Amino acid sequence: MGDIVSQVRQILSDAGMHAVNAFPKYRLPQLLSPMIAVGQAEITSLPCAFSAFLGLCSDQPVFGSEIEFIIQLDVYSPQRSGGNLCAEAARSALTAVSTGLSSCTLKSIQVSPVRYDENIDFFRSSLRLTFGTLLYQSES
């Protein structure tokens, strides 16, 4: 699966968006266009079958588990650009990430409404995307 945050950041960059690793609020740079801060909120290993046995492949037993991870996208947009630009960037980010992680299944989406944050002088929206993927190994 690799570094999922880097993969998501690359997907967003490839789609023409300004994407960076998540950082504390006080370090926000001056923005001229929307920016998306990418962070990994949580990762969990879930049981998916009896004793992790998934079946046989070429007469060899295959074992595995489901990995569920949550990606946090914080979308920031300059105040002078208005809240609509932030909403458009959030929609574009959702589309890019949900189609770009083709080896994973998008399980749920939580989107906060766009709001102006006077403490940082930006419009902001947050997205929490829950994905699942199957990790497996055979005994061969």
Side-chain angles (χ1 to χ4, degrees), residues 118-129:
E118 62 187 32
N119 294 324
I120 56 175
D121 196 31
F122 292 115
F123 281 97
R124 180 180 183 181
S125 179
S126 295
L127 296 87
R128 285 177 63 90
L129 310 175

Side-chain angles (χ1 to χ4, degrees):
M1 199 165 58
D3 180 6
I4 195 70
V5 171
S6 295
Q7 289 179 29
V8 169
R9 200 179 65 244
Q10 188 63 50
I11 288 167
L12 293 169
S13 294
D14 290 348
M17 292 173 244
H18 179 198
V20 298
N21 285 337
F23 48 83
K25 284 186 206 179
Y26 67 87
R27 294 187 58 206
L28 283 172
Q30 290 297 320
L31 297 178
L32 299 175
S33 61
M35 179 188 69
I36 302 160
V38 181
Q40 183 172 321
E42 189 176 313
I43 188 164
T44 309
S45 177
L46 305 171
C48 64
F50 179 71
S51 295
F53 178 71
L54 301 176
L56 297 174
C57 180
S58 301
D59 294 328
Q60 295 294 317
V62 178
F63 298 90
S65 62
E66 181 180 6
I67 301 298
E68 185 175 274
F69 57 93
I70 299 172
I71 296 295
Q72 175 83 27
L73 303 178
D74 292 311
V75 182
Y76 300 94
S77 178
Q79 184 270 338
R80 65 185 170 282
S81 300
N84 286 339
L85 188 60
C86 187
E88 287 175 27
R91 280 192 296 274
S92 296
L94 175 59
T95 299
V97 174
S98 63
T99 58
L101 288 175
S102 57
S103 63
C104 303
T105 303
L106 181 59
K107 298 174 88 175
S108 71
I109 303 167
Q110 294 176 315
V111 181
S112 70
V114 174
R115 63 179 175 80
Y116 176 70
D117 188 334
E118 62 187 32
N119 294 324
I120 56 175
D121 196 31
F122 292 115
F123 281 97
R124 180 180 183 181
S125 179
S126 295
L127 296 87
R128 285 177 63 90
L129 310 175
T130 303
F131 289 91
T133 191
L134 192 62
L135 296 181
Y136 61 91
Q137 91 179 48
S138 64
E139 289 190 348
S140 58

